[in-house]
Amino acid sequence: MTTHVDVAPVEPVRREALPRWLVVAGLSVVGLLLLANLASLLSYINFALNYPFQLDYGEGIVWQQARNIWAGEGYGPLQIFPAVVYHYPPLYHLTFEALAAWTGMDEMVAGRIVSIVSSALSALMVGMLTSAVIGSAENAKTRAVCGVFAALLFLASFPVRMWTPLMRVDMLAVLLGAAGLWFAWRALRRPHLIYVASALFVLGVYVKQISIAPPAAAYLVLLVTHRPLALRGLAAAICMGLLGLAIEQWLNGGQFLQHIVGYNVNRLALHLLWEILLPQLMEHAAMIALGVLGATGGWLYVRRVAAGDAGHRRDRIANDPKAVLILMLILFVGLKTIMLAAMVKSGANANYMIDWFSGIAIFAGVAIAPYVAYALGGAATAGRPASIAILFMALPVQLAMMLSLYAGQPTTDTIASLRRDKQPVVDLIAASDRPVIADDMTFTIRAGRKVEWESAITAELGAKGVYDQKGLARLIRAHCFGLFAVDGILGEGVSVSRYDPVTIAAIHEAYPRTQRYAKYMLYFPDAPADPAICASIH
């Protein structure tokens, strides 16, 4: 006789995708590398605040533009000489000039401090937005860690690192855009904050006129989910923007728009796609992939909300602030991705990617939330694809590569030698009895003179037929300038894009005497100035 015994089925042992210790170790390595990147950035900031000359070609002209705007002399009609074009609206320039006037500090230091503080606050906004997107899905400690991770990842990205200490408009524009998105989202619960968001968006545009992705993303989403709120915000933004435009046009004799739009022209430069854009995408591949995974997870969350049982789909999304914020940020990153196409114009650089990386960093922080929660003692998330864990473990390699780029970064110890190399050029400019053209325009200002002509923008305008390059060549052949201080050899390297062929030929003909100081080649005239021709520019 056979006895049947009922045996309870044995459930298979469920193995975690990754041991907890391995996730903790991976997070720790990433954290240490991010802190090392931050330390390197702080060292660079310390160097920048003590270094008196340009770190980027655009700093000198921004400084002179600010001085002119502060004195009420900005946005004037374009001439052959002096010829200063104002690429951006005046808010950043006025901000650091006001800081310098209030504190008495050096204007370049003030400009760099505004950028540094803006970068720090932008990182804070990235962290806050990351925490808000994660929301109640994780506990407060997990949200905080992910927010810090996203903020540090933003600061570690190459464009942010390099532009943080520069006297350039970019970091303040990024801050205002991110803050505008934050307040637009907060307005879902406190509607009056939509006016704060609108003011921040308008201020962002008056720092950098192409700062349209944040307001576009916020208002387009709100027009679908909260139309009355969006209409109030749009109306306020349009009124504030038009009022500012009317004031600027009136103050500047109708030339304001001509400068920030009409003179803001560039030639096509497809080579920048593989010289700048592609290397940046490769360098930040792990960060971008994490961002894509985080955005995908966010989109799936919105779809689950929309597929609920109660009410209309739009109403279900509108009643979920987290879903609205996710849509805003996905649209923001999408718009900025499209705007990366602007990097095919001459003069473009990695700074065009700064606010794009702010959105990528937010979604990268969102992507790692389950692993941070697990490392902090939570349960493993079922069904989480192993690919994200593998990718996250690859991130330290990318961060180490990024950190290695700055191993030879200058420190304050090198400032004395850099000053010795460059001060003779400043002294020669100060001693000249004629106007001087220098690629490092901070040389001119440090010599106690005004920057009255910028090579790069006049080359662009000349190529478009807007600026009279032949008229300038006539002044050069008349020896109206004391010297030209060119970065490298004229007609080679970067000078090819900064000086048009007509100008290069005129300098070689009338300024044949040369002398080299560090990386700068100085070109001196071989004859006195022609007083009849040069009288108009003195």
Side-chain angles (χ1 to χ4, degrees):
M1 183 176 180
T2 303
T3 304
H4 178 74
V5 179
D6 290 331
V7 179
V10 177
E11 294 188 5
V13 177
R14 189 172 178 177
R15 300 186 66 181
E16 294 168 351
L18 287 172
R20 195 186 304 271
W21 70 265
L22 186 58
V23 176
V24 171
L27 286 168
S28 299
V29 171
V30 170
L32 289 172
L33 283 168
L34 285 172
L35 290 174
N37 269 288
L38 179 62
S40 178
L41 174 59
L42 292 174
S43 175
Y44 184 36
I45 287 171
N46 185 45
F47 169 80
L49 292 177
N50 290 279
Y51 183 62
F53 305 121
Q54 73 176 23
L55 294 168
D56 174 79
Y57 173 78
E59 287 190 289
I61 191 60
V62 167
W63 188 358
Q64 186 61 62
Q65 289 166 345
R67 286 186 158 193
N68 293 349
I69 292 169
W70 188 257
E73 301 170 356
Y75 306 99
L78 185 64
Q79 310 171 73
I80 295 175
F81 189 92
V84 175
V85 172
Y86 297 78
H87 315 79
Y88 300 111
L91 185 58
Y92 171 75
H93 306 73
L94 293 174
T95 300
F96 80 75
E97 281 289 344
L99 177 62
W102 177 49
T103 61
M105 70 174 62
D106 181 88
E107 292 160 298
M108 173 171 276
V109 173
R112 288 175 173 170
I113 284 176
V114 170
S115 293
I116 292 163
V117 172
S118 297
S119 184
L121 293 176
S122 295
L124 176 63
M125 295 307 309
V126 165
M128 291 169 62
L129 287 165
T130 302
S131 177
V133 171
I134 295 170
S136 59
E138 303 291 353
N139 59 40
K141 187 181 293 186
T142 297
R143 294 197 301 271
V145 171
C146 291
V148 171
F149 169 85
L152 291 176
L153 196 58
F154 169 70
L155 292 174
S157 64
F158 177 82
V160 177
R161 287 182 56 106
M162 299 311 296
W163 264 261
T164 285
L166 298 185
M167 187 167 58
R168 298 289 301 271
V169 303
D170 304 270
M171 298 316 305
L172 181 57
V174 171
L175 168 62
L176 292 168
L181 283 169
W182 170 262
F183 281 100
W185 173 67
R186 297 286 292 175
L188 298 179
R189 298 195 183 279
R190 301 173 64 186
H192 68 278
L193 291 178
I194 195 66
Y195 302 113
V196 177
S198 296
L200 290 166
F201 288 144
V202 171
L203 291 174
V205 171
Y206 275 90
V207 170
K208 190 174 183 180
Q209 62 269 42
I210 62 170
S211 300
I212 58 173
Y219 292 134
L220 285 172
V221 171
L222 291 177
L223 280 170
V224 175
T225 62
H226 299 77
R227 183 167 297 175
L229 183 67
L231 292 175
R232 290 200 298 273
L234 274 170
I238 291 170
C239 289
M240 287 185 283
L242 290 177
L243 177 61
L245 178 59
I247 292 172
E248 286 298 330
Q249 285 288 92
W250 174 65
L251 288 175
N252 297 293
Q255 292 290 309
F256 176 69
L257 275 177
Q258 179 63 46
H259 276 266
I260 68 168
V261 179
Y263 293 153
N264 218 328
V265 297
N266 296 86
R267 293 166 287 184
L268 193 65
L270 290 173
H271 63 92
L272 295 179
L273 291 178
W274 55 85
E275 291 181 3
I276 296 177
L277 180 59
L278 183 59
Q280 289 302 308
L281 296 178
M282 293 175 64
E283 180 183 324
H284 299 83
M287 173 183 175
I288 294 167
L290 272 179
V292 170
L293 286 169
T296 301
W299 175 250
L300 292 175
Y301 174 85
V302 174
R303 289 192 63 179
R304 288 195 297 272
V305 171
D309 296 327
H312 189 274
R313 176 182 299 180
R314 184 182 65 185
D315 294 334
R316 290 194 291 270
I317 294 175
N319 290 328
D320 191 316
K322 174 178 171 177
V324 174
L325 179 59
I326 289 170
L327 287 176
M328 285 183 181
L329 290 172
I330 287 177
L331 184 55
F332 165 66
V333 174
L335 291 171
K336 289 306 304 180
T337 302
I338 295 170
M339 292 175 70
L340 292 180
M343 293 184 71
V344 300
K345 66 179 188 177
S346 62
N349 211 323
N351 58 318
Y352 282 45
M353 305 178 75
I354 292 174
D355 37 8
W356 185 70
F357 274 122
S358 71
I360 296 295
I362 289 168
F363 284 117
V366 172
I368 68 162
Y371 296 94
V372 172
Y374 180 42
L376 293 175
T381 303
R384 178 66 57 174
S387 60
I388 188 173
I390 296 169
L391 177 63
F392 182 61
M393 296 310 154
L395 189 59
V397 178
Q398 289 259 296
L399 288 170
M401 289 171 60
M402 291 160 63
L403 181 61
S404 70
L405 294 174
Y406 312 103
Q409 189 170 273
T411 65
T412 49
D413 296 335
T414 64
I415 290 178
S417 63
L418 289 170
R419 278 180 179 270
R420 285 194 299 271
D421 289 342
K422 298 180 178 182
Q423 189 60 42
V425 183
V426 176
D427 295 339
L428 286 168
I429 293 172
S432 176
D433 61 351
R434 286 172 265 181
V436 170
I437 306 298
D439 281 355
D440 186 334
M441 289 164 275
T442 62
F443 289 168
T444 310
I445 299 174
R446 294 295 182 197
R449 310 180 73 130
K450 293 179 69 173
V451 176
E452 299 179 282
W453 187 83
E454 181 205 346
S455 59
I457 190 61
T458 52
E460 299 295 335
L461 293 172
K464 298 291 184 179
V466 178
Y467 179 74
D468 183 6
Q469 297 284 9
K470 292 182 178 178
L472 175 69
R474 182 169 177 263
L475 295 177
I476 294 171
R477 290 191 174 93
H479 306 99
C480 297
F481 303 100
L483 63 98
F484 288 82
V486 178
D487 186 349
I489 298 174
L490 189 64
E492 300 178 11
V494 70
S495 70
V496 173
S497 62
R498 291 181 184 168
Y499 296 85
D500 73 291
V502 173
T503 304
I504 291 173
I507 295 173
H508 280 310
E509 177 185 330
Y511 290 72
R513 297 190 298 112
T514 62
Q515 190 170 357
R516 191 176 193 100
Y517 289 93
K519 67 173 183 174
Y520 293 91
M521 186 68 77
L522 275 55
Y523 294 80
F524 297 92
D526 60 354
D530 184 330
I533 297 176
C534 300
S536 61
I537 70 169
H538 286 285

